[in-house]
Amino acid sequence: MIQRLIATFFMSFGLSFLMSCWVTFINLGWSDVFFSQWMAAFQLAWPAAAVIAFFMAPLVQNATNYIVRRLPG
């Protein structure tokens, strides 16, 4: 369980950090308020990403195992 929590922490942090940057950039471009808006978006995104990643991880792992078992070789 601790491994799952740590993996969730790092994956949700990385994805929400980079995706909030990307979406903020798409919406605002480089501007004077870019960094503050990015950090505001990140603060909202990370908790949601953590909860979603924690509960989706078993489903994703099962789907991945299912697909890998059916690959040739």
Side-chain angles (χ1 to χ4, degrees):
M1 179 61 94
I2 191 71
Q3 182 179 357
R4 187 168 158 207
L5 288 170
I6 293 169
T8 297
F9 173 86
F10 284 117
M11 184 62 72
S12 63
F13 177 89
L15 283 173
S16 59
F17 187 77
L18 295 172
M19 289 302 297
S20 61
C21 177
W22 177 246
V23 172
T24 303
F25 175 74
I26 293 299
N27 287 327
L28 297 178
W30 294 116
S31 69
D32 293 340
V33 296
F34 174 80
F35 187 76
S36 63
Q37 291 298 309
W38 172 23
M39 289 299 105
F42 172 65
Q43 287 177 337
L44 293 173
W46 190 13
V51 170
I52 293 165
F54 183 80
F55 288 107
M56 290 282 304
L59 299 171
V60 170
Q61 187 156 16
N62 288 339
T64 301
N65 290 336
Y66 177 84
I67 292 167
V68 168
R69 281 194 307 269
R70 278 150 183 75
L71 291 175

